[in-house]
Amino acid sequence: MSNCHNHQHCIDDALIAAQSICKQQNAKLTELREQVLLLIWKNHKPLGAYTLIEQLSEQTQRRIAPPTVYRTLEFLLDLGLIHRINSLNAYIGCTHPHSHQGNKVHQHNYFLICKKCHHTQELIDKDLSNKIQSLSQNFNFTAQDQWLEITGLCQECS
């Protein structure tokens, strides 16, 4: 990641977006939900649920049960505030959460994932999504979810 990157700006924007989306959806951004979202946004590397549990337990000085964290993650996923990176079984903040309102499925999002440091970059490409939909239709297949995770080496690791 570039040294000139203002990461606090990413975190602040994510929190403002979460507050706005929760207000629009008449959903409550509880303290725990906000804490999980902020932990996810601390860096550009996906975090697993058990890493989040450990970090939350350290912050709050009490044990956080896995079902509580999984419900929180599901809430954040449903509102389009985070993504699940399937290949890593981990979660990362969504860089464009407002573009998914009314559409639970993020249809145009793709991820470049560094195999060495796990830095993850979200990409949005409607042309690629349209091509996937077209190919699916050619085979009389109705695509409901689509995500593409491309692994390789980031600039720092290559």
Side-chain angles (χ1 to χ4, degrees):
M1 197 160 41
S2 169
N3 289 336
C4 64
H5 177 76
N6 181 350
H7 194 63
Q8 187 59 48
H9 184 67
C10 292
I11 295 168
D12 294 343
D13 286 352
L15 186 54
I16 291 167
Q19 291 165 342
S20 170
I21 289 168
C22 283
K23 187 174 182 179
Q24 290 169 8
Q25 300 294 318
N26 201 25
K28 186 165 173 57
L29 187 63
T30 64
E31 183 179 339
L32 177 64
R33 290 169 177 171
E34 186 175 315
Q35 285 177 313
V36 169
L37 183 63
L38 293 176
L39 285 172
I40 288 172
W41 270 98
K42 270 188 154 179
N43 60 49
H44 287 288
K45 297 177 186 176
L47 292 178
Y50 282 90
T51 300
L52 286 165
I53 290 168
E54 288 172 19
Q55 291 179 1
L56 282 167
S57 294
E58 287 173 13
Q59 273 187 357
T60 62
Q61 300 298 310
R62 62 184 173 90
R63 186 180 167 331
I64 306 293
T68 302
V69 172
Y70 281 108
R71 281 192 301 272
T72 300
L73 290 167
E74 191 63 37
F75 172 87
L76 297 171
L77 284 166
D78 285 347
L79 287 182
L81 298 170
I82 63 172
H83 296 287
R84 183 173 187 276
I85 304 297
N86 294 303
S87 62
L88 299 175
N89 194 21
Y91 302 87
I92 192 164
C94 176
T95 58
H96 300 89
H98 285 288
S99 67
H100 307 295
Q101 292 309 294
N103 179 12
K104 186 175 171 181
V105 178
H106 295 181
Q107 297 239 348
H108 312 293
N109 297 74
Y110 305 101
F111 302 92
L112 301 176
I113 304 166
C114 180
K115 290 168 77 170
K116 191 172 181 181
C117 73
H118 292 169
H119 172 79
T120 301
Q121 179 67 47
E122 179 180 357
L123 307 174
I124 297 176
D125 189 321
K126 291 182 181 181
D127 292 335
L128 182 56
S129 292
N130 291 338
K131 183 64 175 173
I132 290 170
Q133 286 292 339
S134 175
L135 287 169
S136 298
Q137 289 171 357
N138 289 344
F139 289 94
N140 295 319
F141 182 82
T142 304
Q144 294 177 333
D145 297 314
Q146 57 176 285
W147 62 86
L148 180 61
E149 298 174 8
I150 304 164
T151 59
L153 294 176
C154 70
Q155 183 177 346
E156 302 288 324
C157 294
S158 59

